[in-house]
Amino acid sequence: MLRDITPDDIAGPGIPHTLRYFDGTTRNVVVTSIETPFPSGELIVSQTDPKGIITMCNEAFVRMSGYSREELLGAPHHILRHPDMPAAAFEDLWKTILSGKKWHGYVKNLRKDGGFYWVYATIVPNIRNKMITGYTSVRREPDRRKVEEYARLYAAMLLDQRSFL
Amino acid sequence: MTLQFAVSPDHNAAQLAPWFIFNTLLQQSLGRPCHLAAETNFDSLRKVLDASAIDIIYANAFDTAFLVREKGFLPVARGTGRSDEALVAVRPSHPARTAHDFVAPLKIAATDAPDVEMIGRILLEPSGIGPSDIEIIRCPNYVLVAKTLISANADAGFFLAESFDNLSHLVRRELRDVVRSKIYVIRHAWLIAPWLAELRTALLSVLMGMTKDEPGRALLAELGQPGGWEEMTSEDAEFMIDLMSTLV
Ligand SMILES: Cc1cc2nc3c(=O)[nH]c(=O)nc-3n(C[C@H](O)[C@H](O)[C@H](O)COP(=O)(O)O)c2cc1C
């Protein structure tokens, strides 16, 4: 179970949300409007097992997420899920990588302190001896215009998702 | 049979002599005749690799991906504390200060090193610069990339960071680096052909042994690898190749 993000964890005012994950678990978080800029020239890298549990992450990943490496290793990758991301984006992600293909997309991630950062992510399956042994995700700095375009698209998808529920 | 040994063109261009000395060391240590195939560009290297005419190679990350995944080569070692980083440079008067400030279309001077070009293109993405916004002006080496840029025949240049830092003071003064990669995991690697798998351990000990005596350390310095080499496992190589595949 992931620990909640509470008003004590964040800097300044925030908005509470309850995230409902694909596996049926929930997490209460508080989000702020504070964006952390992408570190220029770097890549944010992580690896997971076949179920999406984090098995490796680089220093930029630790720094940008706001968590310690110990908190990240062994945690499900949805530890970074932001309430502004529609479920459909992740359904497409999992459908693509489970079939052994590469997935690309723009993702808004949630930091431990309730803030966020945008990335352009690419996920590839790690294929060893013809078997998927895990996944590698590499995020790079996105073009701002694309971020604005996807922020609008995701907001519309969320509205649609909520009216359907 | 003579072993064919090759070095990535971006590492032998300026300094072929120490690689011939290394070749002699290799022959003595492995007890087999070795021949240095001095390919000076990536196209001609790829042709001999395609023809399976190389037994041992110090390869860039692109050729490593091809040789490990397509040809079954075994990773042996990589340079300690040295990664292949790229940068985008301009003339000092150019308005760009950050990776967000470039405007399409761009004429870019570059060598034929594919890893540097791949990283260079990624460094321009935050400006919304895509493949069709870039016209590459191919140059045989980084000194000529610098000259093309200084003479205003290109808007920007892609450099291997190490080569940029080693340009003469006079040339450096005419250029400014705007954005540099900090990727750390893309590195050159020593690989051995699958038909010589039984020689992997011997090659690894030749490489690891170089830091143990003075002539070895002097040669490492001349090869631009003063820190020596460290073992590269098969999973180290697979990880680097997976990472590269997210960038192409
Ligand atoms: C290698 C890999 C990296 C991932 N990276 C992220 C990420 O950075 N942010 C994120 O919200 N989800 C990421 N995911 C997707 C999560 O596993 C999860 O699907 C998502 O956060 C939505 O949560 P849920 O599917 O549990 O509902 C990644 C998945 C994999 C396999």
Side-chain angles (χ1 to χ4, degrees):
Chain A
M1 268 298 279
L2 290 173
R3 214 174 60 76
D4 289 346
I5 296 180
T6 69
D8 291 343
D9 295 315
I10 67 167
I15 301 168
H17 278 274
T18 299
L19 288 168
R20 251 166 244 292
Y21 298 119
F22 188 72
D23 62 8
T25 62
T26 61
R27 184 189 190 199
N28 296 314
V29 297
V30 183
V31 304
T32 73
S33 55
I34 302 168
E35 177 164 13
T36 302
F38 197 102
S40 187
E42 294 191 57
L43 297 177
I44 301 176
V45 183
S46 64
Q47 256 183 325
T48 71
D49 71 5
K51 293 207 157 70
I53 305 291
I54 301 171
T55 53
M56 184 289 264
C57 55
N58 73 351
E59 197 273 322
F61 188 102
V62 175
R63 195 173 355 112
M64 289 299 284
S65 74
Y67 292 94
S68 68
R69 188 177 298 274
E70 293 67 41
E71 287 172 301
L72 292 165
L73 295 179
H77 221 308
H78 65 215
I79 189 170
L80 298 184
R81 171 146 185 210
H82 196 284
D84 289 351
M85 285 297 295
F90 297 112
E91 277 161 32
D92 176 55
L93 179 166
W94 277 103
K95 213 169 79 193
T96 307
I97 63 175
L98 279 170
S99 71
K101 292 211 257 319
K102 176 152 79 174
W103 180 86
H104 299 276
Y106 292 84
V107 180
K108 183 178 188 175
N109 274 329
L110 178 65
R111 287 169 51 88
K112 184 183 183 180
D113 64 7
F116 68 92
Y117 57 100
W118 277 95
V119 300
Y120 177 66
T122 305
I123 304 183
V124 290
N126 305 133
I127 298 171
R128 309 285 183 265
N129 302 318
K130 302 194 172 78
M131 301 243 299
I132 297 181
T133 57
Y135 301 98
T136 299
S137 177
V138 176
R139 296 94 178 162
R140 48 208 223 225
E141 184 171 3
D143 172 9
R144 281 322 293 187
R145 277 156 293 194
K146 285 281 181 204
V147 166
E148 279 150 31
E149 184 184 321
Y150 276 86
R152 280 195 299 275
L153 173 68
Y154 292 155
M157 286 166 77
L158 272 181
L159 269 180
D160 190 49
Q161 185 179 311
R162 289 199 183 118
S163 64
F164 180 73
L165 286 176
Chain B
M1 210 186 69
T2 301
L3 297 180
Q4 298 294 323
F5 153 59
V7 177
S8 187
D10 50 350
H11 275 250
N12 71 21
Q15 37 171 5
L16 213 45
W19 286 110
F20 278 107
I21 300 172
F22 179 86
N23 191 59
T24 309
L25 171 72
L26 204 56
Q27 308 200 89
Q28 286 165 354
S29 313
L30 298 180
R32 301 269 294 261
C34 299
H35 170 251
L36 174 60
E39 302 301 335
T40 52
N41 67 68
F42 282 99
D43 254 359
S44 63
L45 176 63
R46 191 48 86 94
K47 287 201 181 85
V48 292
L49 295 178
D50 261 330
S52 298
I54 296 295
D55 302 303
I56 292 175
I57 182 170
Y58 187 49
N60 75 357
F62 262 84
D63 288 330
T64 297
F66 167 71
L67 289 169
V68 170
R69 291 265 166 100
E70 312 287 326
K71 298 268 181 184
F73 271 57
L74 307 172
V76 179
R78 56 186 173 188
T80 304
R82 179 188 192 182
S83 56
D84 297 328
E85 305 294 347
L87 62 81
V88 183
V90 295
R91 288 181 296 284
S93 58
H94 193 277
R97 296 279 148 189
T98 73
H100 296 267
D101 304 336
F102 289 94
V103 180
L106 284 175
K107 264 195 202 166
I108 297 186
T111 68
D112 69 341
D115 42 358
V116 172
E117 182 173 331
M118 174 188 80
I119 302 170
R121 286 175 182 273
I122 286 172
L123 292 174
L124 292 173
E125 283 176 352
S127 291
I129 303 281
S132 60
D133 301 319
I134 295 175
E135 182 196 336
I136 297 281
I137 310 208
R138 222 36 96 187
C139 305
N141 57 54
Y142 288 110
V143 172
L144 289 173
V145 170
K147 291 210 166 124
T148 305
L149 195 49
I150 293 168
S151 59
N153 288 317
D155 306 302
F158 289 157
F159 288 86
L160 183 67
E162 192 177 285
S163 303
F164 183 82
D165 295 336
N166 288 335
L167 290 170
S168 77
H169 179 67
L170 234 58
V171 175
R172 275 284 274 106
R173 229 176 38 190
E174 302 293 320
L175 300 169
R176 174 166 52 81
D177 49 322
V178 178
V179 53
R180 258 177 207 256
S181 72
K182 292 169 219 103
I183 296 177
Y184 307 117
V185 289
I186 298 183
R187 288 151 90 172
H188 279 58
W190 284 100
L191 308 172
I192 192 162
W195 52 87
L196 288 174
E198 79 280 3
L199 277 185
R200 182 185 179 273
T201 314
L203 175 59
L204 180 61
S205 56
V206 175
L207 293 166
M208 302 293 277
M210 289 178 74
T211 46
K212 295 203 179 103
D213 57 27
E214 196 35 51
R217 284 192 292 269
L219 181 54
L220 281 170
E222 282 196 74
L223 293 172
Q225 189 51 57
W229 319 99
E230 62 191 29
E231 182 168 10
M232 188 179 203
T233 65
S234 155
E235 185 51 35
D236 291 335
E238 294 292 343
F239 173 70
M240 181 178 86
I241 298 168
D242 279 340
L243 184 132
M244 295 261 302
S245 76
T246 70
L247 302 179
V248 291

